[in-house]
Amino acid sequence: AARMFLRLLSDIQWRAAHPKWRRMTSSQRSTSTTAEPHPVSLPAQAQVVICGGGIMGTSVAYHLSKMGWKDIVLLEQGRLAAGTTRFCAGIVSTARPVSIELKMAHYSNKLYQQLEQETGVQTGYMKTGSISLAQTQDRLISLKRIASSLNVMGIPCEIISPKKVLQLHPLINIHDLVGAMYVPEDALVSSANVSLALATAASRNGVQIHERTSVSHVTIQKGRVTGVETDRGRIQCEYFINCAGQWAYELGHSGEEPVHIPLHACEHFYLLTHPLKEPLSSSLPTVVDPDGRIYIRNWQGGILSGGFEKNPKPLFTEGRNQLEIQNLQEDWDHFGPLLSALLRRMPGLEALQIMQLVNCPESFTPDMRCIMGESPTARGYFVLAGMNSAGISYGGGAGKYLAEWIVNGYPSENVWPLDLKRFGTLQSSRTFLRHRVMEVMPLMCDLKVPRWDFQTGRQLRTSPLYDRLDAQGARWMEKHGFERVKYFVPPGNDLLDLDHSKTFYKPDWFDIVGAEVKCCKEAVCVIDMSSFTKFEISSTGDQALESLQYLFSNDLDVPVGHVVHTGMLNEKGGYENDCSIARLSKRSFFMISPTDQQVHCWAWLKNHLPDDSNLVMEDVTWKYTALNLIGPRAVDVLSELSYAPMTAEHFPSLFCKEMSVGYANGIRVMSITHTGEPGFVLYIPIEYALHVYNEVMNMGQKYGIRNAGYYALRSLRIEKFFAFWGQDLDAFTTPMECGREFQVKLDKGMQFLGQEALWEQKQNGVYKRFTMFILEDHDTDMDLWPWWGEPIFRNGRYVGKTTSSAYSYTLERHVCLGFVHHFDEKTGEELVVTTDFINQGEYEIDIAGQRFQAKAKLYPFSSLFTQRRRKDEVELSGYQRE
């Protein structure tokens, strides 16, 4: 009976609560045991087809129908909510470190709260609150950082003492706790019933729902979805939404043109017990003990407890075509450490009778964030999957954002951290996914301090200089699968300590990076920046120029050899990309973008460039190694190697020229460094990379040359107030909001994407302003460091969050960059942010609940630019001098 309970839970409660659904979907089903005919034939066409009847599929259907779209078909290969959704623990938790995930969970909570009243379907919603426990000071700091984010969003939350934990949950053993976070509005639901309630509402709004219908593949013609093939016939459609959960990967690969959806299933265990002698109160808070790797909630007077073990078991690597997920094998040996942690936390359970150990699959992604958005290769193919065991928390919000994306062309929030296009094909290797999810699942509970790196799936994309740099003490991080140097450990340093320096305070690499920054300012440094995305766009006539003029806000009709820094904007004027474009010839352009733009930017350009055989775009990222020579002596090194004068008169700022360096020909040299310091970037054909690097290092010895990494680059760019895409800039940030008006040519003689939105901002003002903050009373050695996402307060009121920060070795202070908003004190309405509003405020930055005074600036310190080798170098970033 115990085994049957979970299996039948959704059906019994659901059918009892809503017999009308049963009549609607099953009225024509045969009573025969040998065959089960389908009640209604599939429509021949629909505007939208959704595959998957779990929490994600039903949420998208619900929100699309709420937004007025009716011609929608939802297909489920088994029964509604019979996949992973049926096994979900039902915990709705808003305590999330990533801002967009926090917003999704908060919306989900509010939606589920009113869903029963809206639909008449019992969802089991119970506001119990949650307690996240901390066994260490570092864990408590991470909880305080989350609490700061929750509080400024208006979500009640407090850091509490172990004694208060005991008051809230008398069965908890508190002897090893240093504190906890209490979120009183977190809730419990029956996940299957929430899904069925969403389906009911969608059905009432006109959505057709067909169970027992399998999608075999999606047909794509000329890069666009045209229809869906099922075991019951074909449906023509404009949009297809893959909400197939753990089967999303297989479904993506089933067609002739694969859609890569990098996720992989692992076994996930939780325990169900019989009721206690004194049954637990249904309002008892859920307990999350990340240091013990477990969660505990009340369940029918007993408990439900699961966790994320250190040695997870990946599942279905070869693929498996089963309809509904049967209960997998119990594995008590595997669950042993989690059971021990449970009994340590709740010793009173020793005598409790266990009902069942549930083993069900959960999907995980390579970076622990869910996957949503449109495929980069197939227009109209959308994905919502890979919830990393938080499906019920994200379900409502994720469905809402994806529905907005489909209907409006964009969601109402910046969802880039979750966008499918953050991944490339390289993350779709089954071996990579199997190994990565074995690391990801334990990380769900591991303490994540800033700047931690994944250990699996590494050394996948590397520069030709990788081994050479590694031998010189390089310490690596990974971006979009590409290995990039953080810093170089000098000979004699304790390497082990540096590799394991995980802290919220001053890191071990502080002095190492400081020395690299000093060298950049006083001599010359080399940074390998090969990971940057590089495209070439050319045409037989003027097609390239005309198309790019429409897609970019700056004027690209410049003399050959000039480099233009520009934004690639959307209709709202927000940054889809921030890049540098060199005009190589009248009809050829070389475009440099951030590393993680490789898939997104390619898809954006493909979708917006005219379909013209005379217009050619090529991804040349792999063809060139990029060496960034930064510092006042870069000019000397390069002029000696090339036997060409490199001074400002001969090689002006923002200029690009093909040159010889050493024996190597055809090297594109640009007078740009992405830091505001003087110097050059060399784009070297990969076969010459080692030769040129060796020549540069040999020639540079007399000028004090050394290697440097991205941490030095970050410090330099942040103290110069340079914004980077993906950290500071996104699709909801315009050039007018971050002081880059001069990179916009509103009067360049032709229309460009986003122009109207920018005209409006120019006339009416902006509602947020990119601002630089210098921490005043912050002790670098003793205080917690800011990283990003810290709340900003003006005159004691919340006005925004930081987007990036770094220690400035020049100012000997921490510098934070972030956006300041102006909220009306009474109504909360957003008002125009003026220069006076910024300058006349008293500011504080909240780091894990502790506020530090900060000085706000709208322009960088002019003294930082005294070593510029040419007066207009600052134009590189687009900021005026003080």
Side-chain angles (χ1 to χ4, degrees):
R3 275 185 185 282
M4 290 297 292
F5 179 80
L6 274 177
R7 177 123 185 103
L8 299 174
L9 176 68
S10 61
D11 275 350
I12 293 167
Q13 292 182 347
W14 162 243
R15 311 294 177 191
H18 206 66
K20 186 177 172 187
W21 168 271
R22 190 161 184 248
R23 287 200 304 275
M24 184 174 67
T25 57
S26 308
S27 57
Q28 297 174 34
R29 280 189 184 162
S30 165
T31 53
S32 160
T33 54
T34 55
E36 190 177 359
H38 293 88
V40 190
S41 60
L42 291 183
Q45 60 185 61
Q47 187 178 13
V48 182
V49 174
I50 300 169
C51 176
I55 184 69
M56 293 302 147
T58 53
S59 178
V60 175
Y62 170 87
H63 286 95
L64 281 173
S65 67
K66 282 275 184 185
M67 294 179 77
W69 283 28
K70 308 295 184 189
D71 188 12
I72 300 167
V73 175
L74 187 151
L75 306 177
E76 163 55 46
Q77 63 176 347
R79 293 170 303 162
L80 285 179
T84 303
T85 300
R86 177 164 56 98
F87 286 102
C88 181
I91 300 167
V92 183
S93 166
T94 50
R96 307 286 166 184
V98 180
S99 175
I100 185 65
E101 292 179 340
L102 192 160
K103 288 174 181 174
M104 289 197 307
H106 182 46
Y107 172 83
S108 297
N109 196 338
K110 289 192 295 186
L111 173 69
Y112 303 157
Q113 196 169 350
Q114 54 84 35
L115 202 55
E116 191 168 318
Q117 187 180 354
E118 180 188 342
T119 63
V121 179
Q122 291 182 355
T123 59
Y125 184 91
M126 172 70 72
K127 192 174 284 187
T128 60
S130 72
I131 307 169
S132 298
L133 309 179
Q135 294 182 30
T136 66
Q137 286 299 330
D138 270 355
R139 177 69 68 183
L140 191 59
I141 290 166
S142 73
L143 294 178
K144 286 178 177 177
R145 287 180 64 90
I146 293 171
S148 292
S149 293
L150 289 170
N151 283 324
V152 296
M153 274 192 67
I155 301 170
C157 170
E158 59 179 318
I159 298 296
I160 59 174
S161 66
K163 256 186 199 168
K164 182 74 187 285
V165 171
L166 199 58
Q167 290 170 18
L168 290 166
H169 202 307
L171 295 177
I172 293 294
N173 171 14
I174 63 167
H175 79 278
D176 57 347
L177 301 182
V178 296
M181 177 175 71
Y182 177 47
V183 185
E185 293 192 353
D186 279 356
L188 295 177
V189 293
S190 160
S191 309
N193 285 15
V194 166
S195 188
L196 295 166
L198 291 168
T200 300
S203 180
R204 285 175 186 163
N205 283 333
V207 175
Q208 294 185 54
I209 298 176
H210 295 267
E211 297 177 303
R212 307 282 185 198
T213 307
S214 295
V215 173
S216 57
H217 67 271
V218 180
T219 55
I220 297 165
Q221 290 176 5
K222 294 183 179 176
R224 218 184 163 87
V225 167
T226 58
V228 177
E229 296 287 350
T230 79
D231 58 353
R232 297 174 55 205
R234 174 180 166 80
I235 307 175
Q236 282 186 309
C237 63
E238 295 174 52
Y239 298 93
F240 175 75
I241 308 171
N242 184 339
C243 298
Q246 62 173 326
W247 313 121
Y249 177 97
E250 273 80 18
L251 181 56
H253 279 253
S254 64
E256 290 178 9
E257 297 182 40
V259 172
H260 301 286
I261 304 165
L263 53 80
H264 196 295
C266 281
E267 295 183 28
H268 178 57
F269 296 87
Y270 61 76
L271 188 72
L272 295 169
T273 75
H274 288 286
L276 279 73
K277 281 182 184 171
E278 280 188 33
L280 288 180
S281 161
S282 61
S283 60
L284 211 58
T286 297
V287 175
V288 180
D289 182 3
D291 297 309
R293 318 190 73 80
I294 55 170
Y295 57 83
I296 309 162
R297 58 156 284 191
N298 66 71
W299 186 75
Q300 313 246 321
I303 66 153
L304 180 160
S305 178
F308 300 95
E309 62 274 23
K310 287 184 176 180
N311 55 333
K313 298 165 74 176
L315 205 57
F316 307 143
T317 303
E318 305 82 19
R320 183 82 57 85
N321 187 22
Q322 63 176 53
L323 295 187
E324 292 156 29
I325 301 159
Q326 310 302 324
N327 198 12
L328 302 165
Q329 291 299 305
E330 289 184 349
D331 188 339
W332 283 103
D333 289 340
H334 193 77
F335 191 72
L338 299 180
L339 181 59
S340 299
L342 171 64
L343 295 176
R344 274 197 306 274
R345 188 55 58 214
M346 293 178 75
L349 298 182
E350 286 280 4
L352 197 62
Q353 195 178 356
I354 290 167
M355 179 186 280
Q356 186 179 10
L357 179 63
V358 178
N359 176 3
C360 60
E362 277 283 359
S363 298
F364 295 88
T365 64
D367 60 0
M368 289 187 296
R369 300 198 298 266
C370 73
I371 295 172
M372 69 159 62
E374 190 173 20
S375 159
T377 54
R379 298 296 302 273
Y381 191 121
F382 285 82
V383 177
L384 185 57
M387 293 295 135
N388 299 284
S389 202
I392 195 65
S393 292
Y394 297 153
K400 171 179 180 275
Y401 290 141
L402 195 73
E404 290 171 346
W405 202 332
I406 293 164
V407 174
N408 302 328
Y410 47 84
S412 56
E413 294 281 349
N414 172 36
V415 295
W416 170 248
L418 315 177
D419 195 326
L420 171 63
K421 291 185 281 292
R422 73 189 187 270
F423 297 119
T425 55
L426 55 99
Q427 284 100 349
S428 276
S429 147
R430 280 317 243 175
T431 307
F432 167 82
L433 287 170
R434 182 180 175 90
H435 291 177
R436 175 58 66 86
V437 297
M438 289 173 74
E439 178 183 12
V440 159
M441 193 168 162
L443 276 170
M444 303 297 291
C445 288
D446 286 352
L447 187 68
K448 290 178 280 295
V449 299
R451 312 266 182 261
W452 57 271
D453 301 297
F454 289 109
Q455 302 303 307
T456 53
R458 296 295 297 271
Q459 298 180 19
L460 189 56
R461 300 174 73 197
T462 59
S463 155
L465 306 176
Y466 180 87
D467 289 340
R468 186 91 165 76
L469 301 177
D470 198 53
Q472 295 177 77
R475 288 293 169 268
W476 302 91
M477 59 181 178
E478 169 254 333
K479 186 80 175 277
H480 201 64
F482 215 115
E483 296 294 329
R484 316 203 302 183
V485 180
K486 295 190 276 194
Y487 47 78
F488 286 83
V489 179
N493 276 54
D494 189 336
L495 307 187
L496 196 65
D497 281 358
L498 275 165
D499 276 346
H500 293 85
S501 61
K502 293 186 173 182
T503 179
F504 289 103
Y505 291 91
K506 179 181 176 180
D508 292 353
W509 45 255
F510 181 80
D511 292 328
I512 291 174
V513 174
E516 291 179 6
V517 167
K518 188 171 189 285
C519 186
C520 286
K521 287 180 171 293
E522 296 176 2
V524 57
C525 273
V526 179
I527 302 181
D528 183 344
M529 295 179 66
S530 303
S531 68
F532 272 35
T533 299
K534 301 173 274 288
F535 294 162
E536 281 180 10
I537 301 155
S538 57
S539 59
T540 53
D542 293 334
Q543 299 95 329
L545 176 63
E546 288 170 4
S547 302
L548 296 182
Q549 284 283 60
Y550 173 68
L551 292 179
F552 293 90
S553 58
N554 210 336
D555 190 357
L556 297 179
D557 194 4
V558 293
V560 171
H562 282 241
V563 181
V564 176
H565 198 80
T566 180
M568 182 173 83
L569 310 181
N570 54 37
E571 286 180 5
K572 302 189 301 297
Y575 280 96
E576 292 295 333
N577 186 11
D578 179 44
C579 53
S580 305
I581 299 181
R583 190 168 193 179
L584 301 178
S585 71
K586 285 277 188 190
R587 296 168 180 174
S588 176
F589 296 84
F590 186 49
M591 177 178 166
I592 314 298
S593 306
T595 303
D596 50 5
Q597 274 280 1
Q598 190 165 14
V599 177
H600 172 73
C601 182
W602 181 268
W604 181 270
L605 289 172
K606 274 286 184 192
N607 291 340
H608 289 83
L609 288 172
D611 188 9
D612 185 344
S613 59
N614 295 313
L615 182 64
V616 178
M617 179 169 70
E618 185 185 2
D619 185 345
V620 295
T621 301
W622 62 275
K623 284 187 175 181
Y624 293 95
T625 297
L627 289 183
N628 196 350
L629 268 63
I630 303 176
R633 306 314 296 264
V635 62
D636 301 309
V637 173
L638 210 51
S639 57
E640 285 200 43
L641 277 175
S642 61
Y643 289 96
M646 301 298 293
T647 53
E649 301 79 56
H650 298 92
F651 207 112
S653 175
L654 297 175
F655 196 67
C656 175
K657 192 174 176 181
E658 278 210 357
M659 298 176 61
S660 301
V661 177
Y663 296 152
N665 261 325
I667 290 161
R668 291 175 185 169
V669 179
M670 291 190 199
S671 46
I672 184 173
T673 64
H674 306 283
T675 62
E677 299 296 329
F680 305 89
V681 181
L682 280 57
Y683 290 96
I684 309 158
I686 55 169
E687 63 265 38
Y688 300 145
L690 205 53
H691 168 75
V692 172
Y693 173 77
N694 290 337
E695 291 289 302
V696 165
M697 293 305 283
N698 291 337
M699 184 62 73
Q701 277 186 343
K702 60 184 175 186
Y703 300 109
I705 198 167
R706 67 180 289 168
N707 292 298
Y710 272 79
Y711 284 11
L713 187 87
R714 181 185 287 121
S715 174
L716 290 166
R717 73 97 177 166
I718 286 176
E719 72 177 17
K720 297 290 199 321
F721 202 7
F722 284 20
F724 266 29
W725 191 89
Q727 294 167 52
D728 312 298
L729 308 179
D730 58 43
F732 288 78
T733 306
T734 75
M736 304 300 184
E737 294 163 348
C738 60
R740 293 184 167 196
E741 297 91 332
F742 74 92
Q743 289 180 8
V744 175
K745 297 294 185 284
L746 288 167
D747 54 356
K748 66 178 177 179
M750 69 171 293
Q751 197 177 8
F752 63 86
L753 205 53
Q755 190 174 23
E756 285 180 28
L758 298 186
W759 267 119
E760 193 176 318
Q761 284 193 333
K762 189 177 173 73
Q763 288 161 352
N764 302 334
V766 295
Y767 291 90
K768 62 179 178 182
R769 250 333 251 284
F770 194 50
T771 310
M772 178 183 193
F773 297 94
I774 294 89
L775 295 192
E776 301 273 279
D777 58 344
H778 184 269
D779 186 325
T780 305
D781 293 320
M782 301 303 293
D783 288 326
L784 287 169
W785 275 33
W787 297 98
W788 59 84
E790 290 85 13
I792 303 164
F793 291 86
R794 178 188 181 276
N795 299 346
R797 292 177 60 85
Y798 171 70
V799 289
K801 281 189 174 182
T802 63
T803 51
S804 57
S805 66
Y807 181 80
S808 166
Y809 294 89
T810 316
L811 301 171
E812 297 184 341
R813 286 273 185 279
H814 255 101
V815 177
C816 300
L817 308 182
F819 285 92
V820 171
H821 301 251
H822 183 182
F823 301 109
D824 184 280
E825 291 192 20
K826 290 177 182 168
T827 64
E829 181 191 355
E830 284 204 76
L831 304 173
V832 169
V833 178
T834 62
T835 305
D836 284 348
F837 179 81
I838 300 286
N839 291 335
Q840 290 169 8
E842 296 285 322
Y843 291 90
E844 294 170 303
I845 306 290
D846 177 323
I847 307 175
Q850 187 178 354
R851 294 189 190 180
F852 295 91
Q853 290 178 2
K855 183 181 179 185
K857 291 176 69 64
L858 285 169
Y859 304 103
F861 287 93
S862 52
S863 58
L864 290 177
F865 293 96
T866 52
Q867 293 182 340
R868 292 201 317 277
R869 79 184 178 95
R870 49 181 78 95
K871 62 179 172 54
D872 56 345
E873 181 79 33
V874 71
E875 284 214 356
L876 170 70
S877 80
Y879 289 99
Q880 302 157 27
R881 288 180 60 186
E882 203 173 22

